[in-house]
Amino acid sequence: MSDRKYFGTDGIRGRVGEFPITPEFMLRLGWAAGQAFKKDGQRNSVLIGKDTRLSGYMFESALEAGLSAAGVDVKLLGPMPTPAIAYLTRTFRASAGIVISASHNPHHDNGIKFFSSAGTKLDDALEAEIERWLDRPLEVCEPSELGKASRVDDAPGRYVEFCKSTVPNEFTMDGLHIVLDCAHGATYHVAPKVFRELGAKVSVIGADPDGLNINLNVGSTHLDALKAAVVENGADMGIAFDGDGDRVLMVDRDGSEVDGDELLYIIASQRHAEGRLKGGVVGTLMTNLGVELALKDAGIDFERAKVGDRYVMERLVANDWVLGGEGSGHMVIRDCTTTGDGIVSALQVMLAIHKSGKTLAELRQGMTKLPQKMINVRVAERFDPLSRADIVDALRQAETELGEAGRVLLRASGTEPLIRVMVEGQVEADIVRVVEELAGVVEQSSR
């Protein structure tokens, strides 16, 4: 990815109004994408969906104009979860899908994600092709060849039915009381329908988007509101999505958090017990060591990929495995869908609860998380922390101190100007001290 001018690990993302997250750039990006996606001899179409950010209206119009100028038809889906665009791109046989979203970021950020005609993230070659078109002068096609735009009014219903189709017909949530936190984001109008139609009693928070409150003190990155709602309502559990619906975390009935590592373990161990887990499991460099140890104790292979769902997917495809994910709750379940899907992942956890006859609390007890602490150090400009001698020296000192019983990870975020400092080991007090010392060195070096 180092040779990319615009694309990061998850599309193009930044602050609204600052290049490249501007209307002018989005117009050119729409045209460039249209040129890259076009296939000769057929009428090409691209789907556009978005989350609930106010800026989504502006960028939707700009992308639509650019695609039309390239001679590509546009189908507008409105506010829909990111994985819904992946699914609908396949079902409409579209040339590609575009999502306008900055995922779990605040409303003042926005971004663009692309899906191929197969509903998968773009490969490096196609991203490079789009960037090559961005460097060329924008030329409008013949007026008779301009792309047309139309709205898909039944998109939410189509996606609700797809989510329900990923669990068996006999599966039901009758008798369960669930609190859903939709992060004032793209799942606000579909997730409650999915869980209610499958029989659950559903209470909902974070489902009143106003364009500015997406991820604001709600959703998978801010669980306090969900924890309180679960306890206050006496619910069996809570489920939190992020702003674009590709991540999920859960809360037990007593308000305790169940993170993505634990959810990945629950799905994997239940499928393994039933003989339905094809191959092993892919995690990332950030995955808690407790997951790896618990899976190996169960006889399940485990492999680590670089951080980011595209890298998890690469290893799954290479191994011909079906299950992988991150502690953030971004999981890929390849025999259900083609990308990370918060609702589908949550349903797989609910299916494990249903089939095992155990509670969420009982299922998570199969693994023990090692103490792990991460500090995000905000920097003025992204840089490789391993390129600086002072940071490398501090890293080596930390690794020596922790020995074989610990892990240290330094990495630059692919979506934000952050350096992530993670330390894992046996003794929590030692972990906290080491991560704070290392984060201090990173902060000092970035000035």
Side-chain angles (χ1 to χ4, degrees):
M1 302 298 296
S2 59
D3 61 338
R4 296 289 189 275
K5 293 171 62 176
Y6 307 112
F7 283 90
T9 55
D10 196 19
I12 302 170
R13 190 181 301 184
R15 189 178 179 91
V16 174
E18 296 179 3
F19 187 82
I21 312 301
T22 64
E24 296 89 345
F25 180 82
M26 294 303 168
L27 172 66
R28 293 188 54 79
L29 180 62
W31 177 81
Q35 298 291 356
F37 291 135
K38 273 200 303 189
K39 298 175 183 176
D40 294 336
Q42 67 182 59
R43 190 68 184 178
N44 295 276
S45 66
V46 170
L47 272 59
I48 300 179
K50 59 185 180 180
D51 63 23
T52 56
R53 292 163 214 270
L54 186 60
S55 59
Y57 292 98
M58 176 171 65
F59 296 135
E60 180 184 56
S61 298
L63 288 165
E64 176 189 338
L67 287 161
S68 177
V72 175
D73 291 339
V74 180
K75 296 185 185 297
L76 301 171
L77 305 177
M80 290 291 292
T82 288
I85 284 80
Y87 164 69
L88 292 168
T89 298
R90 301 198 320 272
T91 62
F92 275 99
R93 277 39 172 196
S95 305
I98 300 177
V99 184
I100 306 167
S101 174
S103 190
H104 56 282
N105 288 25
H107 79 90
H108 54 66
D109 291 339
N110 216 331
I112 303 297
K113 303 178 187 181
F114 290 95
F115 287 106
S116 71
S117 58
T120 59
K121 297 287 181 69
L122 299 190
D123 59 31
D124 291 347
L126 197 44
E127 287 184 352
E129 177 71 6
I130 293 172
E131 292 205 348
R132 283 193 289 271
W133 279 103
L134 279 166
D135 289 334
R136 302 180 188 181
L138 191 156
E139 298 178 356
V140 180
C141 68
E142 289 296 317
S144 61
E145 298 299 319
L146 290 170
K148 300 177 182 179
S150 59
R151 292 204 171 270
V152 180
D153 295 326
D154 62 347
R158 286 172 177 254
Y159 179 60
V160 167
E161 290 305 310
F162 162 71
C163 290
K164 290 160 55 182
S165 75
T166 62
V167 291
N169 288 337
E170 64 272 15
F171 170 69
T172 178
M173 298 184 203
D174 287 346
L176 285 177
H177 182 186
I178 299 171
V179 180
L180 296 183
D181 181 349
C182 298
H184 298 306
T187 61
Y188 79 98
H189 58 321
V190 291
K193 290 182 180 178
V194 171
F195 287 86
R196 284 177 177 140
E197 291 181 16
L198 288 172
K201 175 184 177 182
V202 177
S203 301
V204 185
I205 65 173
D208 298 297
D210 62 10
L212 304 177
N213 61 359
I214 187 170
N215 300 313
L216 182 60
N217 299 322
V218 287
S220 63
T221 52
H222 302 88
L223 289 177
D224 286 349
L226 180 60
K227 292 176 180 178
V230 168
V231 174
E232 290 169 7
N233 284 277
D236 294 292
M237 69 191 69
I239 301 173
F241 305 106
D242 66 336
D244 73 330
D246 61 0
R247 298 184 183 192
V248 62
L249 295 183
M250 291 191 177
V251 170
D252 196 7
R253 65 187 310 154
D254 64 359
S256 58
E257 177 181 341
V258 184
D259 69 12
D261 285 345
E262 293 169 300
L263 297 179
L264 184 65
Y265 167 77
I266 288 171
I267 296 172
S269 58
Q270 181 60 33
R271 283 182 166 221
H272 180 67
E274 299 172 19
R276 294 193 304 117
L277 180 63
K278 182 180 179 181
V281 174
V282 174
T284 74
L285 296 173
M286 301 291 288
T287 300
N288 192 282
L289 184 58
V291 178
E292 181 175 355
L293 296 175
L295 291 176
K296 287 185 175 179
D297 284 346
I300 301 172
D301 290 336
F302 178 81
E303 182 176 319
R304 292 183 185 270
K306 290 189 292 185
V307 175
D309 65 298
R310 65 185 292 146
Y311 303 114
V312 172
M313 180 64 85
E314 282 179 4
R315 296 313 307 157
L316 289 174
V317 172
N319 293 332
D320 196 22
W321 294 353
V322 299
L323 182 61
E326 304 180 88
S328 64
H330 201 151
M331 283 179 278
V332 179
I333 306 173
R334 290 179 61 227
D335 56 358
C336 291
T337 187
T338 59
T339 190
D341 189 316
I343 295 176
V344 168
S345 298
L347 290 178
Q348 290 299 303
V349 176
M350 301 306 299
L351 184 61
I353 291 171
H354 174 80
K355 289 195 169 186
S356 68
K358 298 179 180 179
T359 65
L360 183 61
E362 290 169 337
L363 287 174
R364 70 187 296 203
Q365 289 173 359
M367 65 161 281
T368 301
K369 291 175 62 178
L370 270 65
Q372 186 184 86
K373 176 75 173 176
M374 184 170 72
I375 295 178
N376 292 319
V377 180
R378 187 162 291 277
V379 295
E381 295 183 0
R382 295 177 196 166
F383 65 91
D384 179 3
L386 300 182
S387 67
R388 301 194 176 181
D390 55 342
I391 297 178
V392 172
D393 288 343
L395 170 63
R396 288 173 178 167
Q397 182 178 340
E399 289 176 332
T400 299
E401 183 175 346
L402 292 170
E404 295 182 359
R407 291 194 308 133
V408 182
L409 180 65
L410 285 173
R411 57 175 289 268
S413 169
T415 58
E416 299 178 81
L418 301 172
I419 302 297
R420 305 196 192 279
V421 184
M422 189 277 287
V423 178
E424 184 178 67
Q426 300 286 348
V427 182
E428 186 165 5
D430 292 341
I431 299 308
V432 171
R433 177 178 51 78
V434 172
V435 75
E436 289 178 351
E437 290 174 355
L438 191 52
V441 173
V442 173
E443 184 175 6
Q444 184 66 33
S445 181
S446 67
R447 292 175 181 170

